[in-house]
Amino acid sequence: MVGMDMRRTVEARDASMLARCIDLSRYATSQGENPFACVIGRDDEVIAEATTRERRDADVTRHAEIIAISDAQAKLGTTKLWKCTLYSTLEPCAMCAFCIRASGIARVVYSIPSSIMGGSSKWDILGDHDLSDALPEVFHKPPQIVAGLMENEAEQVWREWHPIDWAVLRHRHAVGQSLVRPVHGGQSAPRKPFLWNRLRSWLGGDS
């Protein structure tokens, strides 16, 4: 009974933190950014939160996860975030995944998976035991991963912000659980070219 109550508490906390993250992603679009946001929590406390700042700062490394990790480390006065959970609207990329492993974050909860860019489903950096086995001084053990939580709600922000952008990404199987690209013989299955000319015509790009 205690175990079930604890599980319900964690699930409720995850939903609350991720809802906060999704709201932040909506704010990011109002600032001219992609709908990417991150919250780092420790139990019920929000330690840090951030949106992507790539466009505002003209810096491709300014991902929401990296900014939030840096802010959390500054707030707690340590590089190790062992008791923290990272929440993200999109599966952390490979770059962010290395930072997550180096900071020792215990759990990662995200909404939208990416079989093309994901640091878990594509590259498996988050789950790679070799990192911590070979370099335990640098990389902590793999975090617990909760994938696809509130995926529809996170996707809705993207669809409302830029439906064409979202449609292109879905067509290319770049995001979303239901469109994982099949793999044959170690090679990604070729995708049909997107009908850019038709899209440009719809948007008046040829006028």
Side-chain angles (χ1 to χ4, degrees):
M1 187 67 179
V2 174
M4 185 176 294
D5 288 343
M6 179 64 70
R7 180 178 177 181
R8 288 173 178 168
T9 298
V10 171
E11 289 177 348
R13 179 187 301 139
D14 285 350
S16 176
M17 290 286 193
L18 205 43
R20 183 186 186 106
C21 202
I22 291 170
D23 285 343
L24 275 174
S25 76
R26 184 173 286 107
Y27 170 75
T29 65
S30 73
Q31 301 301 301
E33 300 283 356
N34 289 320
F36 305 149
C38 176
V39 171
I40 293 178
R42 185 174 59 184
D43 296 329
D44 293 323
E45 180 186 5
V46 174
I47 302 298
E49 59 186 18
T51 65
T52 182
R53 294 191 59 92
E54 291 182 64
R55 294 179 179 174
R56 283 171 288 178
D57 295 348
D59 183 346
V60 297
T61 69
R62 298 285 280 167
H63 287 201
E65 295 94 331
I66 292 176
I67 297 171
I69 288 171
S70 179
D71 289 350
Q73 290 172 333
K75 180 175 180 178
L76 297 178
T78 177
T79 60
K80 299 304 181 183
L81 306 177
W82 290 331
K83 296 182 180 181
C84 294
T85 297
L86 181 144
Y87 300 90
S88 180
T89 50
L90 183 68
E91 179 180 350
C93 70
M95 177 176 68
C96 295
F98 273 111
C99 295
I100 290 168
R101 291 297 303 274
S103 65
I105 285 171
R107 301 175 69 242
V108 175
V109 182
Y110 63 83
S111 297
I112 306 172
S114 174
S115 62
I116 300 300
M117 302 171 288
S120 176
S121 59
K122 171 65 174 180
W123 305 106
D124 197 29
I125 296 166
L126 292 180
D128 188 355
H129 286 272
D130 289 345
L131 285 172
S132 48
D133 289 346
L135 296 169
E137 301 86 356
V138 179
F139 297 107
H140 197 55
K141 65 182 181 181
Q144 177 191 357
I145 297 172
V146 178
L149 184 63
M150 301 178 70
E151 181 177 351
N152 290 336
E153 292 87 340
E155 289 180 355
Q156 184 62 31
V157 175
W158 210 330
R159 287 194 297 267
E160 292 173 356
W161 166 67
H162 205 312
I164 297 298
D165 188 42
W166 177 253
V168 170
L169 290 170
R170 291 286 286 181
H171 179 83
R172 292 179 172 180
H173 309 320
V175 293
Q177 185 63 46
S178 61
L179 290 176
V180 176
R181 183 184 301 182
V183 176
H184 305 283
Q187 298 293 325
S188 296
R191 54 179 170 81
K192 297 179 181 179
F194 197 79
L195 302 179
W196 285 111
N197 289 337
R198 182 177 298 178
L199 265 179
R200 289 180 63 198
S201 175
W202 288 343
L203 296 174
D206 290 331
S207 58

